[in-house]
Each structure stands twice: as structure tokens, then as C-alpha cells.
Amino acid sequence: MTARHLSTAVEARIDRAARRLLDAGHQPHRPVRLAVTEFLVFGAKQAWACTFGALLLATMVVAHLTLPAESRNDVLTLAAAVIQVAMLVFGLETVRELRVVLVFHVVGTAMEVFKTHVGSWEYGSDGWLAIAGVPLFSGFMYGAVGSYMVRVVRLFDLHFDRWPRQWLLVVVAAGIYANFFAHHVVWDARYVLLALVVALFVRTTMHVRVHRATLRMPVLLAMLLVALFIWLAENVATWAGAWAYPDQTAAWQPVAPTKVVAWLLLMVISVALVAWLYPQVRSAPAGPVPVPVAVPGAGASPSGREARPTAAASAAARWSAGSRPPRGAHADRPHSVQLSGPPGPASARRESSAFRDDAPLG
């Protein structure tokens, strides 16, 4: 797939500001500063990807503290719609991403209608903006998950090694979705499905571009961490009265930790949808571009002295996904650091800014 301009004008401006702030015209010379920078950029990207969900959750809390119960559902639905439109109009989300969010919205609403009617959880009965007794803002919560998924793919230039066969993933994801409905009338197969998920993804790793570093992370660990954060957000939402589980109707109490398993299985459905709509993420990143670092006599500074690698370059070499020693036919070549990304100026090769305006999805 040809790289396309997928970021927005807002993100391009943030990108330029972030580069000026992080580099200030020079490279950091201390490994600790480099590590702290990567950590902060990682957090900034995650926060940016969570914009939709964070705003929706904050709206739930404000509505709980300020509005009467009979008007909250409609206000939350209208607020969620306004947030979605504003993200599109003000350049926080692309039209392409919106299509994915709508798919999550439809899939989630269908499950909400069924789950509320069988008593898995309940919403307040007040409000006009509802379908089959379920407030329409419930679909926006699944849309928030979809928004996070597609935005994190772009912001981190995610690619995967050893991706499972897509038809197997689709079968398992379909089984998970069906089990959300079927376990009310037949045997609950969630732990069998969980074992299948582990078998599918146990060897799959994810390439994550942060600022200058490209990290690798097991996909199962990433999905588990996202499931944990959703569970934490669910605790806040139920405290705010957005919905209630049967054991929370008399008085609020924390959501059972076993719900993390359900959210982990939902993450598999989310991953399957994103991989179906963005098939290019299933392939490994394009061939690395060698960037010489420490080749004796292969370059000099303007003063005539031999150029030496900075601490930042050494740290980036250790962090880079392609920094392992060369083997085979390449073993006799000069030592180099393998950095992902297209050729270009040194700063462009080193950086994957918090909001790169040329970040391809594939």
C-alpha cells in the first residue's frame, strides 16, 4: 500500500511543536534523558489516542455530579454525538477512522440491546434517545474503543510479526462475539476461547514507534493492558451511574476483576475488525534502513576530528527493533544500526514524533 497523508492539520502543527520542544535544536546526550523523553512521548500518544473515550468518561462524571437522573441519558447521548462531530470538524479524527468507529458503534449497540434484556446490566429508563430501551450513548462507548484502536495504529505506526492466519482470527473473534450471546442459554465457552486467543497470539509481537525508538511488545501483553484500562474506566462509569451491574443496584461497589477477561476477549474482536479494515498492519514493517554509527575512519567532524556516536545514538541503537548483530551474508559488513523508516535527513530518520504527519498505516 502506498503511504498516504493520514494525519490532520491539527496533528501536523502539534508535530512541529513537539519536535521543537523535545529537541530544541540538539540531541539529548544522556541515556536517562532519552529514556524519560521516550516515556513521556509514549504517554502523550496514548492520551491523544484516548481523546474520545476520555472526553466521554469526563462527561459521565460531570453529568452525575450536576444533572438530575431523568435527563442524564439524553444529555450523554447528545454530548457523545457532539464530541464525535467536533473531533471530525476540528481535525482530531479522520473520515477514514470515523468509518471504523461506526462499525464498532453498530456491533456494540447490538450486544447492548441483548445484554440489557437478559439482565447482565441495566441503564436508567429515563430519556427519549434510546433503542429498545437502551440509551444511544451506549454505542458511543464501543465507538470510543474503536477510536482508540485506529488512532493508536496510526500514532505508533503499529506493525506485527508472526500475525496469525486471518481466517483463524475471524473464526475465533466470531466465536467470542457469539459466546457473549449464547452463554446465557448454553455452556459458557469464554475460557476455551481465551485459550484459543493465547494460542493464536503467543508468538505475535508488535512494533511500536515512539519518538526515536522502535520497541517490540508481545501483543497479548498489549491487549491485557488495554483491557485493564477499560476495566478501570468502567469502574468510573458505573460509579457515575452510566449503567449498573446487578450487584451494584443497591449500592455501588467496584466492578468484579473477572470482567477483565471479558474485556480482553472484546479486544480480540476489536483487533480482528481493525486488521480486516486495515490489512496492511498485519505485515512486518518495510525493510530497515542502515544508519552507520561507529565506523572507524568513515567520517569526520567539521573540525577534522573523527566523529563519535552520541549517547543518544547508542541508546537508540539498543532500543531499535533491528539492533541485533547481523548474521550470515551481512556479518562482514561494517557495524550499523537498523532503524525503521524511509531514507531522508538524519533528524527524520531518527525520529518518529508524537504526531508524525507522514505516518503510514502500512
Side-chain angles (χ1 to χ4, degrees), residues 47-62:
W48 187 251
C50 292
T51 302
F52 190 171
L55 290 175
L56 185 57
L57 189 64
T59 303
M60 291 178 182
V61 174
V62 172

Side-chain angles (χ1 to χ4, degrees), residues 22-95:
L22 292 172
D23 288 331
H26 62 275
Q27 297 290 325
H29 296 286
R30 297 181 180 178
V32 173
R33 179 179 173 183
L34 177 63
V36 170
T37 300
E38 296 291 336
F39 177 77
L40 294 177
V41 171
F42 181 85
K45 284 187 173 186
Q46 288 286 353
W48 187 251
C50 292
T51 302
F52 190 171
L55 290 175
L56 185 57
L57 189 64
T59 303
M60 291 178 182
V61 174
V62 172
H64 173 70
L65 297 175
T66 61
L67 297 176
E70 59 270 15
S71 62
R72 288 176 192 163
N73 289 344
D74 286 347
V75 169
L76 288 176
T77 300
L78 293 174
V82 169
I83 292 171
Q84 180 63 84
V85 172
M87 289 187 66
L88 192 64
V89 171
F90 292 104
L92 306 185
E93 195 168 77
T94 66
V95 175

Side-chain angles (χ1 to χ4, degrees), residues 37-351:
T37 300
E38 296 291 336
F39 177 77
L40 294 177
V41 171
F42 181 85
K45 284 187 173 186
Q46 288 286 353
W48 187 251
C50 292
T51 302
F52 190 171
L55 290 175
L56 185 57
L57 189 64
T59 303
M60 291 178 182
V61 174
V62 172
H64 173 70
L65 297 175
T66 61
L67 297 176
E70 59 270 15
S71 62
R72 288 176 192 163
N73 289 344
D74 286 347
V75 169
L76 288 176
T77 300
L78 293 174
V82 169
I83 292 171
Q84 180 63 84
V85 172
M87 289 187 66
L88 192 64
V89 171
F90 292 104
L92 306 185
E93 195 168 77
T94 66
V95 175
R96 191 182 187 194
E97 291 168 346
L98 179 61
R99 293 182 296 181
V100 181
V101 171
L102 292 177
V103 173
F104 277 79
H105 198 294
V106 172
V107 170
T109 300
M111 188 167 67
E112 286 288 320
V113 171
F114 176 83
K115 285 290 192 177
T116 54
H117 279 75
V118 297
S120 294
W121 53 79
E122 63 181 38
Y123 293 92
S125 58
D126 301 310
W128 295 94
L129 302 177
I131 178 171
V134 177
L136 292 178
F137 77 82
S138 63
F140 284 98
M141 294 187 294
Y142 293 89
V145 175
S147 175
Y148 170 80
M149 292 293 293
V150 294
R151 286 160 63 80
V152 82
V153 165
R154 172 161 55 83
L155 293 174
F156 288 97
D157 296 345
L158 295 187
H159 291 83
F160 301 88
D161 283 333
R162 300 184 181 92
W163 186 263
R165 293 185 182 274
Q166 185 66 10
W167 70 268
L168 284 174
L169 177 58
V170 170
V171 169
V172 173
I176 292 171
Y177 190 69
N179 189 69
F180 280 126
F181 297 86
H183 80 84
H184 293 281
V185 293
V186 296
W187 176 65
D188 189 354
R190 72 178 62 193
Y191 290 104
V192 173
L193 292 166
L194 182 61
L196 291 175
V197 169
V198 172
L200 274 180
F201 288 104
V202 69
R203 298 175 66 246
T204 305
T205 56
M206 180 171 65
H207 295 257
V208 183
R209 289 177 64 105
V210 187
H211 179 50
R212 296 186 183 89
T214 298
L215 311 178
R216 289 193 297 179
M217 185 178 190
V219 168
L220 286 174
L221 177 59
M223 290 194 294
L224 177 60
L225 291 175
V226 174
L228 283 171
F229 275 100
I230 295 176
W231 175 74
L232 292 173
E234 186 181 33
N235 276 278
V236 177
T238 54
W239 171 83
W243 72 90
Y245 289 104
D247 59 351
Q248 296 175 321
T249 53
W252 182 84
Q253 56 183 315
V255 178
T258 54
K259 288 291 181 182
V260 174
V261 176
W263 286 116
L264 177 60
L265 294 176
L266 180 68
M267 285 305 304
V268 177
I269 299 175
S270 304
V271 168
L273 285 173
V274 172
W276 171 54
L277 295 164
Y278 293 93
Q280 58 270 25
V281 304
R282 296 179 297 206
S283 59
V289 178
V291 182
V293 172
V295 182
S301 64
S303 61
R305 298 179 181 178
E306 180 180 339
R308 295 184 178 181
T310 64
S314 300
R318 291 194 300 270
W319 285 36
S320 174
S323 60
R324 291 176 295 181
R327 298 179 181 178
H330 302 283
D332 57 346
R333 295 186 183 180
H335 295 294
S336 62
V337 178
Q338 303 293 327
L339 295 179
S340 300
S347 60
R349 289 196 304 268
R350 285 191 301 266
E351 287 192 65

